[in-house]
Amino acid sequence: MRVIVDGQAVTAERGQTVAAVLMGHGRTSWRITRHGGRPRGLFCGIGVCFDCLVIVNGIPDVRACQRVVVDGDDIRTQYGAELPEAGT
Amino acid sequence: MTVLVVGAGPAGIHAASSAAGVGADVVLVDSASRPGGQYHRQPSDAPRTGALAVVDHPRVKWMPETWVWAVERTDQGFRLHAQVGPADAPGRPCIALDGEALVLAMGAYDRVLPFPGWDLPGVYTAGAAQAMAKGQRVAVGRNVVVSGTGPFLLPVAESLLGVGARVRGVLEAGSPVRWALQPWLLRGSLGKIGELAHYAKVLSTGKVPYRTRSAVVAAHGADRVESVTVARLNHDWTVASGSEQQVEVDAVAVGYGFTPQLELAIALGCRIQRALDDSDVVVVGRDQATSVPGVFAAGEITAVAGADAAAAEGVLAGLSAAQSIGSSIVDKQVSLIRRKVLRKRDFARALAAVHPVRSGWQSWLVDTTLVCRCEEVSLSAVRSAVVERGAAGMRALKLLCRVGLGPCQGRICGRNVAELTGLPDIPKRPIASPIRLGDLASEPDGSGG
């Protein structure tokens, strides 16, 4: 299957988490912190720490380590505290 | 009559299986899409064998991707409030699950001690490295160092080797030579000696150095980990001066024991106590009963001792829960399991004795080191809230510097902040799993009606 990461189509496999797709394509961070503007990615890997938040299909604050991808998912870097896109 | 089981790790699947085996109807819920929890984590295309096959039992209703966010007592028993569907997606259906008995088996997550640079991408919990390797076949780095304390570091190194990473070393902060000097600590856990021998072989085959009294005490890099400082530790875990070495790595996996997930137990009012490893655990009696009638607990939430122990406790908790709602069980079956569980408690005590976290870790931090990752609160901000602004309790401290107020609700920093400040942690989190406000408003069974 294919998903979109920050505007670019990449391949993904069934059962992969968003974090696994991103890391499999060499990404180590996909969120910029609200105060310090620092990069963050995976940390606890089991849904506890909320460091790996990312935007999926216009919805922010999705835990990349918990969310399993589906074909066509639109995954975007999250900058600070973002609001959901209109109409989602 | 239904037994609700929360968590489908080793404890939960064995609880479900034993309860169903004596005739109880079981509802087994877990946030993952597959049973097994962190220990039996497998790629999504792996067959469900052994204990995992419990989800196909005719009396077990398996509910994957079910995120329990609250629990309440009802006239008949208990009600779980959950959302079903993909993680953090809005609009997932809200459901209520009712049962007459409840088995809590939520497990635990890694404890990580802060150090300068631990907020850089490339620093992972040991559990994250393990989950990515076992569940997703992804190596968190090519050149990885494993640091922390406890026997769990060994399977993490093995998993990393298994997905092709080079493991530069396993750094054990403690001196587990006590296992050898005081072998009675392992009494009743002979299987553990075989496990240790297995890992010794794995490490030597993979040419992985194992060093005791050592730790990663800082990570460096611009936007990700490029190197770490590795140091020898004194007995109290302060850095042995002059022992620091810079090592180039692209990832660090860190684990200093575990923190049990107690949200639902605390919400129900189960008695909690401080265990020997300084984690808070659910108090259970001989049959895994908590202080709340009808609520049983099993696995790491009652004391961290590994998967075999959790499975034994799960069996006992499942039988007890089924018995509490009318199933009849054979006493002989129970006494065998009970002996296994007692050995588990011995092993948990031994683990805590051999792998204590020593306070010298606090000296690894500098003023700018983040203590709270979510709210980006530094050590100096926490100190000034206590020293200059007189925060006398955790609640005041949170309000003064925002430590622990982010989305993880203090799960990662709570114990560390408590140790740094001497103020007791408040692990109360009424919303156990995040629910979006729009979904909460539409919740069918909310107390607001």
Side-chain angles (χ1 to χ4, degrees), chain A residues 14-17 20 23 28 33-36 38-40 42-44 46 48-49 51 59-61 63 66-67, chain B residues 38 44 67 86-88 109 119-121 123-125 128 132 136 222 224 370 373 375-376 408 411 434 436:
Chain A
R14 218 177 71 86
Q16 273 193 308
T17 60
M23 292 178 78
T28 52
T33 62
R34 203 163 75 229
H35 305 298
R38 300 290 300 153
R40 293 282 175 87
L42 186 79
F43 181 62
C44 82
I46 58 169
V48 172
C49 78
D51 243 358
I59 304 292
D61 302 331
R63 286 169 287 176
Q66 297 292 290
R67 183 63 166 267
Chain B
Q38 307 309 331
S44 61
W67 310 75
D88 301 330
Y109 56 90
D119 52 319
L120 281 171
V123 178
Y124 304 101
T125 70
M132 290 303 280
Q136 303 282 325
R224 56 158 305 152
L370 295 189
R373 301 169 63 95
E375 293 294 308
E376 301 172 81
C408 95
R411 285 178 174 93
R436 292 184 193 263

Side-chain angles (χ1 to χ4, degrees), chain A residues 9-30:
Chain A
V10 304
T11 54
E13 285 166 41
R14 218 177 71 86
Q16 273 193 308
T17 60
V18 171
V21 171
L22 289 165
M23 292 178 78
H25 286 88
R27 291 280 294 267
T28 52
S29 61
W30 47 83

Side-chain angles (χ1 to χ4, degrees), chain B residues 7-325:
Chain B
I13 55 180
H14 283 88
S17 165
S18 69
V22 293
D25 288 319
V26 175
V27 175
L28 174 64
V29 306
D30 197 285
S31 60
S33 52
R34 293 176 55 84
Q38 307 309 331
Y39 181 79
H40 292 291
R41 191 185 275 276
Q42 294 175 316
S44 61
D45 50 5
R48 289 201 296 239
T49 53
L52 304 183
V54 66
V55 298
D56 303 318
H57 191 289
R59 269 192 298 276
V60 174
K61 185 174 182 204
W62 161 234
M63 301 204 54
E65 288 196 309
T66 301
W67 310 75
V68 176
W69 59 271
V71 59
E72 63 180 330
R73 288 198 238 187
T74 60
D75 292 341
Q76 290 76 37
F78 307 93
R79 175 168 297 168
L80 301 172
H81 294 272
Q83 274 191 297
V84 184
D88 301 330
R92 286 169 295 170
C94 289
I95 58 165
L97 298 165
D98 290 309
E100 287 69 39
L102 178 58
V103 177
L104 300 176
M106 289 85 70
Y109 56 90
D110 297 83
R111 180 179 187 193
V112 177
L113 301 174
F115 52 82
W118 77 308
D119 52 319
L120 281 171
V123 178
Y124 304 101
T125 70
Q130 174 89 332
M132 290 303 280
K134 278 172 79 175
Q136 303 282 325
R137 299 190 189 101
V138 170
V140 293
R142 289 200 191 110
N143 209 9
V144 190
V145 61
V146 179
S147 181
T149 193
F152 179 61
L153 302 178
L154 301 172
V156 171
E158 181 181 33
S159 296
L160 282 165
L161 291 170
V163 287
R166 179 174 171 212
V167 180
R168 297 294 300 275
V170 174
L171 308 180
E172 162 61 59
S175 351
V177 69
R178 284 182 66 180
W179 288 122
L181 297 179
Q182 295 163 282
W184 58 87
L185 289 172
L186 279 173
R187 70 175 171 260
S189 304
L190 284 172
K192 298 287 173 193
I193 293 171
E195 274 176 46
L196 291 177
H198 164 77
Y199 290 124
K201 194 168 160 223
V202 167
L203 293 189
S204 76
T205 310
K207 298 196 170 38
V208 178
Y210 178 81
R211 279 202 246 159
T212 58
R213 290 254 184 112
S214 308
V216 167
V217 296
H220 317 281
D223 289 324
R224 56 158 305 152
V225 171
E226 291 160 18
S227 67
V228 291
T229 302
V230 168
R232 286 270 301 159
L233 302 180
N234 298 314
H235 179 73
D236 65 355
W237 288 18
T238 53
V239 171
S241 57
S243 70
E244 300 95 330
Q245 277 187 314
Q246 201 102 337
V247 180
E248 276 184 33
V249 296
D250 61 0
V252 191
V254 191
Y256 287 91
F258 296 90
T259 300
Q261 304 238 56
L262 299 183
E263 289 80 12
L264 300 180
I266 290 173
L268 285 162
C270 298
R271 200 155 82 78
I272 304 294
Q273 72 182 6
R274 184 63 46 91
L276 291 169
D277 65 355
D278 275 329
S279 63
D280 287 329
V281 297
V282 181
V283 178
V284 288
R286 267 160 52 91
D287 52 359
Q288 303 302 126
T290 70
S291 63
V292 176
V295 181
F296 302 82
E300 310 293 49
I301 62 168
T302 74
V304 171
D308 294 345
E313 276 199 345
V315 172
L316 191 51
L319 290 174
S320 303
Q323 191 176 35
S324 78
I325 57 169

Side-chain angles (χ1 to χ4, degrees), chain A residues 4-9 22 27 29-30 54 74-79:
Chain A
I4 299 164
V5 175
D6 285 325
Q8 291 213 309
L22 289 165
R27 291 280 294 267
S29 61
W30 47 83
V54 69
D74 182 15
I75 299 158
R76 280 203 297 114
T77 299
Q78 178 165 340
Y79 295 90

